[in-house]
Amino acid sequence: MSPVRRCSRTACGRPAIATLTYVYADSTAVLGPLATYAEPHCYDLCAEHSERLTAPRGWEVVRLAVDTGPARHNSDDLEALANAVREAARPQQRTAEGPGRAGRETDPMETARRGHLRVLRSPES
């Protein structure tokens, strides 16, 4: 199986660059960047077919920005993700008020915290 997704149009073998989704409740066709993975109710389109797309009469077409250039990895994004993981794994500092981070007020519904997870008290009716 080819790692490159192809255009969903019949007899078109060009690589897909955009994904088309229909929102029937709003009579809207949404054309956006290629989805992360193929969905059964979405259509992958090549550059030519995405440019020529028209919707049925009475429908609106919403075109989201499609990046046609090669995918570039941004080191800032990777670094921000690594920092977020480190922050979540860091042991929490305890204060006199109870669990939570030092210098921040804790949520009155919060009873305990472990990493990024919180235990909340059920609201009283």
Side-chain angles (χ1 to χ4, degrees), residues 2-77:
S2 173
V4 176
R5 291 193 353 226
R6 301 289 175 189
C7 184
S8 298
R9 295 292 301 257
T10 304
C12 182
R14 291 184 287 263
I17 63 151
T19 298
L20 173 65
T21 306
Y22 290 105
V23 182
Y24 293 98
D26 297 333
S27 299
T28 304
V30 180
L31 183 68
L34 189 63
T36 307
Y37 54 90
E39 291 280 343
H41 301 289
C42 296
Y43 304 92
D44 295 336
L45 299 176
C46 65
E48 181 181 341
H49 287 122
S50 63
E51 288 172 10
R52 295 184 348 190
L53 174 74
T54 60
R57 185 175 295 161
W59 282 55
E60 180 182 359
V61 177
V62 175
R63 293 178 187 268
L64 304 175
V66 176
D67 182 20
T68 57
R72 287 173 269 141
H73 296 287
N74 188 342
S75 63
D76 291 341
D77 292 342

Side-chain angles (χ1 to χ4, degrees), residues 101-123:
R101 296 182 182 203
R104 289 189 185 173
E105 290 188 31
T106 59
D107 184 354
M109 296 297 292
E110 183 177 326
T111 60
R113 179 180 279 264
R114 182 171 176 107
H116 67 282
L117 302 174
R118 299 182 304 160
V119 177
L120 302 176
R121 195 176 355 184
S122 63

